[in-house]
């Protein structure tokens, strides 16, 4: 029933309608709550279990044998694990760096081109994001093999960068859209060159989006499995790929410990992003303009 | 003798696609003038300023600043500065950093910048607010920062795009006076864009009235108000009563026959020729109203349709048979027992001094098309 109709009913009738509506809500609402609670449990219980069992002092994954942290030590003493961790960190940081630079450049360029070219690139950007990851992974693998690029860390980084550049571009463009363009004109007017204007006005105002894009790229890359798995070569195993290969010998407390570490890393990056963006909102500068 | 102009526009035209924003504009702005561009919304004022600043390029015509053709010179190499309509202060910089921005680009030494920033802030009475961010300032204070930020560069010309548009009425009035005295002190040429005719009249040395991208009239405040040359100017600047008619000869000299019912005498030396169709404009404050005393009144007689109290003045709308409504304004200070306030429905006699009749050319066919 429309709100207007309720308004027009006499007061008593209106109250009856409202009460009936409230009655319906009181039946539906508990079910909705239960449903969301179950959904969250379904999502988070497995993660919780993995983390709890990372501290389990028993070789058997299913039996609780007391609290310990020695699986973390064991994991970090394994040279192949440490190597894959190093690979992951390298891939994540290179990817974030390149994707941020390319994404920022693309966003800035896209506001200067004509509507047709912009539509074309917009389509490409969204296409990248909605294409299933496994398709991108396959396509990249076939491409690298055909062109004859040896698979390794560079191919992993390249594949990640393609994906993340789209993400950064979208984030920066959203911020650009909300930016007052006369600020750049004011800067030109006061004698700043295009580069000076970019450095002193445009970039500082875009920084929140750029930092967010950088951090999102790191978290994406650090825990990405599919892309890395397809285009990795000998010696370029990343941590998620390493965990996957260990799982073939069964779930061990060490894989639990590694999963817990990945989660901790990703969460801390996300919190850092949140914190920095909130600070920026309060007027604290991430970069000093000097 | 050729004079040197600070800014000179020669036949400047600007198209945006098929829209003509500015058409054949020719202006010469002398050094040290307070020069206003006045016109209704969309008449091309901002576009003109942006072309002088270098943000837009004229489709045709020449712009010279201090005698130099500025075609192809980017905004950051032109010695002009602009105060934007919404100030465009850098939100991530303090007041001090905003004001210092221009000097920093010129690589002026740090102590020199500090000294001049202090000087500029003192000039606009903002000393003590150096560390504030723009969003921590009132509208009037932001406006002063924008002024200081532009003036500190000692430009040849300062361009102001409706700088007081965002302020309330009272602050506006105060800032008008301040701006004007500031301009006298610094002696920099101001090109001031406004659509507020009162603002232009009170502040300007010279006014260019624009309409639909074209220059309508150039002159001092007194000239454009007292001697408007077109109907548009007479209507846009102040209010006018218009009478259209044909010039004919009568025993007392030339008169205008308005609608064959009424003859309006023309001032001597009006330049009108018999047979010409012209428009006569009369300002409401020049129209005198007197209660009709005799039974057989002569001249222009009408009935007061309404009276509106405007504070200092009262506006009367007087219906005159065959002529429509004539608007008259009377100073309220003149009201006393001899000249009482008029009531609606009262019969009054209208008159005005001969020289209050402004003779305007009859708008041609082209202007009718424009209106329609
Ligand atoms: N970038 C643009 N693209 C297309 N048309 C434009 C552009 N800028 C201005 N115009 C058009 O040119 C004309 C003049 O615009 P301009 O902004 O100069 O007017 P204005 O006199 O400053 O008006 P206002 O008092 O409303 O600010 C308008 O018809 C406007 O629509
Ligand atoms: Mg404008």
């Amino acid at each position: 029933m429309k709100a207007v109709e309720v308004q027009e009913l006499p007061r008593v009738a209106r109250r009856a309608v409202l009460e009936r509506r409230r009655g319906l809500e009181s039946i539906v609402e508990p079910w909705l709550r239960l449903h969301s609670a179950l959904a969250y449990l379904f999502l988070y219980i497995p993660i919780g279990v993995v983390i709890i069992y990372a501290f389990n002092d028993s070789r058997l994954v299913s039996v609780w044998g007391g609290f310990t942290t020695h699986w973390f030590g064991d994991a970090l003493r394994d040279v192949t694990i440490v190597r894959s961790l190093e690979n992951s960190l390298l891939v994540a940081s290179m990817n974030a760096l390149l994707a941020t630079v390319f994404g920022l450049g693309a966003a800035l360029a896209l506001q200067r081109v004509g509507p047709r070219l912009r539509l074309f690139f917009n389509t490409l950007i969204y296409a990248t994001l909605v294409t299933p990851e496994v398709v991108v992974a396959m396509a990249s693998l076939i491409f690298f093999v055909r062109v004859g690029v040896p698979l390794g860390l560079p191919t992993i980084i390249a594949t990640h960068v393609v994906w993340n550049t789209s993400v950064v571009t979208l984030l920066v463009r959203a911020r650009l859209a909300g930016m007052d363009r006369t600020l750049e004109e004011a800067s030109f007017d006061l004698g700043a060159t295009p580069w000076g204007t970019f450095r002193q006005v445009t970039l500082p105002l875009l920084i929140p989006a750029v930092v967010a894009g950088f951090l999102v790229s790191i978290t994406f890359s650090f825990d990405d499995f599919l892309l890395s798995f397809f285009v990795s070569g000998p010696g370029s195993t990343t941590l998620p790929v390493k965990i996957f290969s260990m799982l073939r010998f069964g779930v061990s407390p060490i894989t639990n410990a590694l999963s817990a570490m990945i989660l901790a890393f990703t969460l801390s990056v996300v919190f850092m992003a949140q914190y920095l963006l909130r600070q920026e909102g309060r007027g604290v500068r991430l970069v000093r303009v000097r | 003798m050729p004079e040197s102009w600070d800014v000179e526009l020669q036949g400047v035209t600007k198209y945006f696609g098929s829209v003509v924003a500015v058409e054949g504009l020719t202006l010469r702005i002398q050094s040290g003038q307070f020069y206003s561009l006045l016109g209704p919304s969309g008449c091309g004022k901002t576009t003109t300023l942006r072309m002088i600043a270098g943000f837009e390029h004229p489709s045709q015509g020449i712009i010279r600043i201090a005698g130099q053709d500025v075609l192809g010179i980017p905004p950051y190499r032109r010695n002009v500065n602009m105060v934007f309509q919404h100030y465009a202060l850098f939100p991530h910089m303090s007041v001090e950093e905003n004001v210092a921005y221009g000097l920093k680009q010129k690589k002026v030494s740090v102590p020199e910048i500090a000294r001049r920033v202090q000087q500029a802030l003192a000039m606009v009475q903002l000393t003590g607010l150096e560390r504030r961010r723009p969003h921590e300032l009132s509208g009037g204070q932001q406006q002063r920062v924008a002024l200081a930020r532009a003036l500190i560069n000692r430009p040849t010309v300062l361009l102001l795009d409706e700088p007081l548009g965002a302020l309330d009425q009272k602050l506006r009035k105060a800032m008008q006076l301040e701006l004007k005295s500031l301009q006298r002190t610094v002696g920099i040429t101001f090109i001031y864009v406004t659509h507020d005719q009162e603002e232009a009249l009170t502040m300007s040395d010279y006014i260019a009235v624009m309409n639909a991208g074209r220059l309508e009239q150039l002159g001092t405040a007194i000239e454009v108000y007292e001697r408007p040359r077109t109907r548009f100017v007479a209507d846009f600047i102040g209010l006018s009563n218009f009478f259209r008619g044909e010039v004919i000869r009568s025993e007392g000299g030339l008169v205008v026959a308005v609608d064959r019912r009424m003859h309006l005498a023309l001032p001597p030396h009006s330049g009108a020729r018999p047979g010409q169709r012209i428009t006569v404009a009369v300002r409401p404050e020049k129209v005198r109203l007197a209660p009709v005393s005799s039974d057989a009144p002569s001249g222009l007689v009408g009935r007061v349709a309404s009276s509106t109290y405007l504070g200092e003045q009262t506006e009367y709308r007087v219906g005159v048979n065959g002529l429509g409504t004539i608007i008259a304004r009377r100073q309220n200070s003149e009201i006393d027992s001899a000249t009482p306030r008029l009531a609606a429905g009262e019969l009054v006699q209208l008159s005005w001094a001969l020289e209050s009749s402004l003779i305007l050319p009859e708008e041609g066919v082209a202007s009718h098309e424009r209106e329609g």
Side-chain angles (χ1 to χ4, degrees), chain A residues 196-211:
Chain A
T197 298
F198 175 73
R199 208 169 40 81
Q200 299 171 92
V201 175
T202 318
L203 190 58
L205 292 173
L206 291 181
I207 270 296
V210 172
V211 171

Side-chain angles (χ1 to χ4, degrees), chain B residues 54-250:
Chain B
F55 298 128
E56 308 282 0
H57 301 294
S59 313
Q60 286 161 27
I62 300 172
I63 298 178
R64 292 197 188 88
I65 297 172
Q68 190 200 2
D69 185 349
V70 290
L71 180 76
I73 297 181
Y76 49 91
R77 296 227 189 79
R78 296 190 184 193
N79 197 16
V80 297
N81 283 113
M82 183 141 163
V83 175
F84 291 82
Q85 185 162 9
H86 298 287
Y87 317 137
L89 298 178
F90 304 124
H92 58 296
M93 296 183 198
S94 65
V95 166
E96 197 173 28
E97 287 167 315
N98 263 285
V99 176
Y101 194 85
L103 295 182
K104 214 176 96 190
Q105 310 311 315
K106 290 185 193 145
K107 309 270 190 296
V108 176
S109 74
V110 175
E112 170 74 2
I113 291 183
R115 195 182 61 76
R116 278 170 68 181
V117 166
Q118 278 313 312
Q119 213 177 9
L121 288 178
M123 182 176 68
V124 295
Q125 298 157 37
L126 282 180
T127 311
L129 300 184
E130 292 86 348
R131 308 242 165 260
R132 295 252 191 110
R133 291 297 194 82
H135 67 89
E136 297 165 333
L137 299 175
S138 74
Q141 289 167 334
Q142 291 180 18
Q143 211 276 324
R144 287 157 203 257
V145 176
L147 261 177
R149 183 177 73 171
L151 282 174
I152 197 171
N153 305 296
R154 298 178 186 151
T156 315
V157 184
L158 186 69
L159 310 171
L160 303 102
D161 190 0
E162 305 199 23
L164 307 182
L167 305 180
D168 66 61
Q169 190 62 27
K170 199 151 187 176
L171 193 54
R172 237 180 126 108
K173 291 269 183 247
M175 286 302 294
Q176 282 175 10
L177 295 177
E178 241 178 79
L179 258 179
K180 180 70 194 167
S181 76
L182 192 66
Q183 192 263 340
R184 283 212 195 91
T185 332
V186 295
I188 290 175
T189 310
F190 276 31
I191 304 183
Y192 190 94
V193 159
T194 179
H195 62 242
D196 181 340
Q197 42 112 359
E198 204 181 316
E199 194 167 285
L201 290 177
T202 54
M203 299 172 80
S204 324
D205 297 323
Y206 227 68
I207 301 175
V209 185
M210 291 177 68
N211 180 26
R214 283 194 309 257
L215 186 63
E216 199 76 26
Q217 186 169 351
L218 265 175
T220 62
I222 296 177
E223 279 167 5
V224 295
Y225 188 83
E226 300 287 343
R227 291 194 295 282
R229 278 211 301 268
T230 64
R231 183 178 170 137
F232 173 83
V233 176
D235 204 22
F236 185 72
I237 302 182
L239 211 62
S240 293
N241 296 296
F242 294 106
F243 308 98
R244 283 167 141 173
E246 191 183 335
V247 181
I248 56 170
R249 215 176 278 280
S250 94

